[in-house]
DNA sequence: GCATTTTTTGCAACCATGTTGCAATGTGGT
DNA sequence: ACCACATTGCAACATGGTTGCAAAAAATGC
């Protein structure tokens, strides 16, 4: 598991630093998406707030994680699939945010349906966020 | 046009105040969605920042406007269709945000496709935001 | 029209999220 | 071990949004 973290960083030509190792590991251990706060809570005061923001931004730039918009005004991040690379995301799956436990899931197997947009509109990115009750909370 | 503002406020059992009249009129004149900033810019310092936030919240609660999530960390608002009422939104249309001019459109005629969610997941709300180049900017 | 009750506003203060500049420190390559 | 460069931490700032409370403005009753 630990080697996978190093591998991913090297594959993306990133220097190996404590914060990148720790934060990337957090993503690999988590099944859902993480907001900045989740990371800060999980690392204590090991890293500065700013370092976390910059590390997340670096990962997004490299295509390691992608952002998930939300109505509650806090950007969440989740690991990209292998198909993503620098400057080119392929995260056309939908996201699910649970109203009860606030966990955000990437529903990798639910494809975003194709849309017929009005004339003149050209889509470059589609975000689909479904909220409701997740499979753990509905039991 | 002005009577329509008053009508809408009365229909929702809201007192008629300057801020509500002015802000609601702004929405009716605008074709796209408005963020808090847009409203503040359009009203100068006629109203306090807090008043605008509270007026927007009131309108959302009454089902007059609905929120649009976005990745840039600023909630946008747009007029609801007639079908919306207090505590019960029917805004299952798609939103389009232009990368160039930042205008946010409600594409009322593009329905959100039905989804097949994994077992145990129950959707209560679906937000679909497409970004790209709008029909004005693509000319 | 005036007094009373209820709503709404404005102000100040606060919190959360995110960014920028710069000096100090750590990392990779030789 | 050294050097060049990348990264971190700190302070400060910017924006988006909320809360408590007193003052002002509506609606209500008379």
């Amino acid at each position: 598991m630990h080697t996978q973290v190093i591998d991913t960083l090297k594959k993306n030509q990133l220097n190996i630093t404590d914060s990148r190792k720790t934060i990337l590991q957090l993503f690999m251990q988590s099944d859902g998406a993480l907001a900045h706060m989740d990371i800060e809570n999980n690392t204590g005061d090991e890293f500065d707030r700013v370092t976390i923001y910059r590390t997340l931004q670096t990962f997004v730039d490299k295509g390691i994680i992608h952002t998930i918009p939300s109505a509650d005004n806090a950007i969440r991040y989740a690991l990209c699939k292998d198909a993503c690379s620098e400057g080119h995301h392929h995260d056309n799956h939908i996201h699910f945010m649970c109203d009860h436990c606030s966990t955000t899931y990437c529903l990798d197997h639910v494809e975003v349906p194709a849309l017929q947009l009005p004339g003149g509109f050209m889509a470059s990115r589609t975000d689909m966020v479904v909220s409701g009750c997740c499979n753990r909370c509905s039991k």
Side-chain angles (χ1 to χ4, degrees), chain A:
Chain A
M1 166 84 75
H2 199 253
T3 39
Q4 200 185 341
V5 171
I6 308 268
D7 273 7
T8 304
L9 290 176
K10 281 191 178 160
K11 203 183 304 171
N12 288 281
Q13 294 142 33
L14 289 173
N15 288 345
I16 315 293
T17 67
D18 283 354
S19 65
R20 286 177 186 162
K21 273 191 294 187
T22 307
I23 293 176
L24 184 51
Q25 183 124 31
L26 266 182
F27 275 108
M28 288 181 173
Q29 284 167 358
S30 160
D31 52 345
L34 299 175
H36 169 268
M37 243 318 158
D38 300 321
I39 296 169
E40 203 168 323
N41 290 341
N42 267 285
T43 56
D45 43 5
E46 187 179 356
F47 307 113
D48 193 80
R49 254 164 37 85
V50 179
T51 300
I52 298 177
Y53 279 117
R54 284 197 271 231
T55 303
L56 289 172
Q57 190 54 56
T58 303
F59 286 174
V60 170
D61 291 343
K62 289 291 183 182
I64 300 174
I65 59 179
H66 62 268
T67 61
I68 306 172
S70 70
D72 73 344
N73 212 40
I75 301 176
R76 280 147 212 279
Y77 302 86
L79 276 181
C80 286
K81 311 269 282 298
D82 294 335
C84 289
S85 59
E86 186 162 3
H88 203 62
H89 286 273
H90 294 271
D91 47 329
N92 68 330
H93 54 275
I94 77 170
H95 295 106
F96 188 95
M97 188 171 309
C98 182
D99 293 331
H100 301 281
C101 62
S102 290
T103 305
T104 301
Y105 302 85
C106 287
L107 300 183
D108 291 316
H109 303 301
V110 184
E111 283 256 323
V112 174
L115 289 177
Q116 186 69 40
L117 293 180
F121 287 89
M122 285 184 303
S124 66
R125 169 183 172 146
T126 302
D127 283 300
M128 192 156 184
V129 182
V130 181
S131 53
C133 189
C134 76
N135 58 353
R136 276 196 287 246
C137 291
S138 66
K139 275 175 189 164

